[in-house]
Amino acid sequence: MSRPQVPRLRVDLADLPEDAVDQGPGPLIGLTAGGAAPVYLGPGSGHTLLVAWPGMGTTTVLRTVAAQYARRGTQVDILDVAGQHTWARAQRRVHLYEDAASVHRRLYQLADQVRAQRSGPPRVVVVESDQTVTALLRFRHYPVPGGTGLDALTAVLAAGRLYGIRVVMACRAVPAPMGHVARDLFTTRLLSAPTPRTWDLVGSPGRAAPQEEPFRIGRMHLVGMGGDEVVQLLRLSDLQAAYLAAAPAPAARSPRVRHRPLIRLPAVAPAVSTFQIPPT
């Protein structure tokens, strides 16, 4: 008689196959609750919204996703007035905005790009937690009298994907100004023990809210992309995130021969394995 499978309570790099991070269609966010399959943010995942109380792993998720996007060569903007993402300060492909004024200026620039219908290189905008969201609601900036950064963010969410911009945002509750359109703006939603209001706004339409369950750090309901399942999210430390962001994926290191297709050059293996990062 086989034993029942014990739900995984934490997923680290050492728990995964060595190529798990680099072989998927996008960043690896974790495993299904039973540990049966990896879950990726693929090209069709759209914008991503995380709704969870502080301490439930949202910063870890944002760090994990941002580092993998940078590893894949995507430019990443992190809007973080709380100062949670110190790992990103020395990264070439990551730009960190840590005060309300710079956060707003960056969002206005991106909103102007969208309104002008200008395409740009692929870019991911990471919006960190409640302090940043509060700043977007309260801070007033001269270039847009009476406007807020949340207005600019909403413009980016509405049409940014057409021009190469993807948003990953975390908050403890869906901001009231975008509540009625949040489900349409965010194709993918990660919800930790969602309240009835949260489920009504961004849960699966036509499905009952999940039964109450104990809080488990890093375990969230993945809603969108045609389904609803529980995912145990991958955890990267600051050190691991900094390493992944600085080291391009192996596929990017492999030499390409365009004019001599009959010559096959060996792929260059990474100098240091991802899984040799010292434990933290």
Side-chain angles (χ1 to χ4, degrees):
M1 180 177 178
S2 62
R3 296 180 180 179
Q5 192 172 27
V6 178
R8 188 185 294 270
L9 298 181
R10 175 168 165 168
V11 180
D12 292 306
L13 280 178
D15 301 321
L16 304 172
E18 188 165 352
D19 61 352
V21 168
D22 297 320
Q23 297 304 313
L28 174 67
I29 61 172
L31 303 176
T32 52
V39 181
Y40 295 91
L41 289 179
S45 301
H47 302 306
T48 302
L49 175 68
L50 290 80
V51 183
W53 285 95
M56 297 311 297
T58 54
T59 296
T60 300
V61 177
L62 296 181
R63 179 170 62 234
T64 298
V65 170
Q68 291 185 69
Y69 272 120
R71 180 174 173 82
R72 291 168 176 265
T74 301
Q75 292 295 321
V76 180
D77 293 340
I78 298 182
L79 315 182
D80 174 27
V81 300
Q84 297 291 324
H85 294 271
T86 54
W87 65 272
R89 286 178 180 164
Q91 297 296 329
R92 183 170 58 87
R93 289 182 291 271
V94 182
H95 300 280
L96 192 56
Y97 301 86
E98 297 183 277
D99 62 87
S102 65
V103 164
H104 279 69
R105 281 195 298 270
R106 186 62 186 137
L107 282 175
Y108 294 145
Q109 291 168 357
L110 294 172
D112 287 344
Q113 175 188 330
V114 169
R115 295 185 183 111
Q117 301 181 357
R118 297 194 311 269
S119 296
R123 182 176 299 277
V124 171
V125 180
V126 174
V127 183
E128 167 65 49
S129 71
D130 283 334
Q131 285 180 259
T132 304
V133 174
T134 300
L136 295 179
L137 285 166
R138 296 181 179 177
F139 187 83
R140 291 294 189 273
H141 198 274
Y142 178 75
V144 185
T148 68
L150 196 64
D151 300 325
L153 177 61
T154 303
V156 173
L157 287 166
R161 288 193 65 205
L162 296 175
Y163 307 104
I165 304 171
R166 179 176 292 187
V167 175
V168 183
M169 173 177 166
C171 53
R172 80 171 67 192
V174 180
M178 64 169 53
H180 63 294
V181 292
R183 185 182 284 115
D184 297 325
L185 293 175
F186 295 96
T187 307
T188 303
R189 284 92 67 192
L190 288 162
L191 315 176
S192 175
T195 64
R197 175 185 178 272
T198 296
W199 189 260
D200 183 57
L201 292 174
V202 293
S204 295
R207 297 191 186 184
Q211 296 181 349
E212 278 193 40
E213 58 183 24
F215 285 109
R216 288 181 176 170
I217 296 175
R219 176 165 290 194
M220 298 187 185
H221 290 270
L222 172 64
V223 181
M225 297 184 292
D228 173 11
E229 60 183 335
V230 178
V231 176
Q232 188 65 38
L233 297 160
L234 172 62
R235 177 189 180 279
L236 290 185
S237 67
D238 281 350
L239 179 60
Q240 291 169 326
Y243 174 83
L244 285 182
R253 292 196 189 106
S254 301
R256 296 182 179 181
V257 179
R258 297 182 180 275
H259 303 294
R260 294 184 291 171
L262 297 180
I263 300 177
R264 295 184 178 180
L265 298 180
V268 178
V272 180
S273 168
T274 300
F275 301 92
Q276 293 175 356
I277 301 172
T280 58

